[in-house]
Amino acid sequence: MGRIVVTGGAGFVGSNLVAGLVALGADVVVVDDFFTGTRRALPDIEIWEGSVTDFNLMHRVCRRADMVFHLACRNIIVSTQNPLDDFRVNAGGALNVLLAARDSNVQRVVYTSSCSVYGNQERMPIKETDPVSLLTPYAASKYAGEAYCEAFQASYGLPTTVVRYSNVYGPG
């Protein structure tokens, strides 16, 4: 599977992803600032404590990566309380990850977005073709990350995949 970087790997979703990747035999590297995540959620793997907002750190970490799963972000509650930090981490961090991936010839970036970009839809289930309705700073910053993914794929040929999570739950 190669060397896989997981940003936000110590969080709830990230630590479950890391466990699955390790079980599949991947060489996993985690980047996390431990704002909400915890080390005890991680197996014995390479961990870089730091933020996706650190341009140089992301370039060092991605230098040998084959793939990046970008999950690091500020959550919706924190984002609403501090929109500037939300922008810096969620939108700016996404840009740093994409720059590092592009410069390191990473094979693919998987970007984690949120169904929050749809706002309060009247119909369920929500479909990808439903209109975007950015009602929170969090939704705006996650959508900005999606836009950067699209731009990097079109401008630089960097393969990206965007996933929009909704109602994530499970063990841990």
Side-chain angles (χ1 to χ4, degrees):
M1 292 193 68
R3 186 172 177 87
I4 300 176
V5 172
V6 180
T7 69
F12 173 70
V13 176
S15 62
N16 280 284
L17 173 62
V18 166
L21 291 170
V22 168
L24 291 171
D27 175 19
V28 180
V29 178
V30 165
V31 177
D32 206 297
D33 65 4
F34 297 98
F35 186 80
T36 56
T38 176
R39 285 182 185 273
R40 69 177 178 271
L42 296 170
D44 185 22
I45 58 170
E46 185 177 342
I47 300 169
W48 292 61
E49 184 169 354
S51 174
V52 292
T53 64
D54 184 333
F55 180 84
N56 293 323
L57 170 65
M58 291 314 305
H59 274 77
R60 285 193 311 274
V61 172
C62 288
R63 191 172 295 136
R64 296 181 6 239
D66 296 301
M67 186 173 189
V68 176
F69 283 87
H70 178 43
L71 284 74
C73 70
R74 292 295 183 254
N75 65 39
I76 194 167
I77 295 168
V78 173
S79 294
T80 302
Q81 294 169 345
N82 189 341
L84 187 57
D85 191 46
D86 166 81
F87 176 82
R88 189 177 61 80
V89 175
N90 294 2
L95 178 57
N96 273 343
V97 168
L98 290 164
L99 286 166
R102 179 201 64 185
D103 296 347
S104 301
N105 296 314
V106 167
Q107 296 169 13
R108 175 165 303 277
V109 174
V110 178
Y111 174 75
T112 301
S113 187
S114 169
C115 74
S116 292
V117 302
Y118 296 112
N120 297 325
Q121 294 291 321
E122 293 181 20
R123 291 181 296 129
M124 292 292 176
I126 296 171
K127 295 183 266 181
E128 288 183 30
T129 54
D130 285 343
V132 169
S133 178
L134 306 173
L135 302 179
T136 65
Y138 176 77
S141 65
K142 295 307 281 182
Y143 197 62
E146 290 186 27
Y148 274 122
C149 286
E150 186 176 340
F152 269 65
Q153 188 157 316
S155 296
Y156 308 112
L158 177 65
T160 61
T161 301
V162 173
V163 294
R164 292 177 177 160
Y165 292 158
S166 174
N167 297 328
V168 178
Y169 65 94

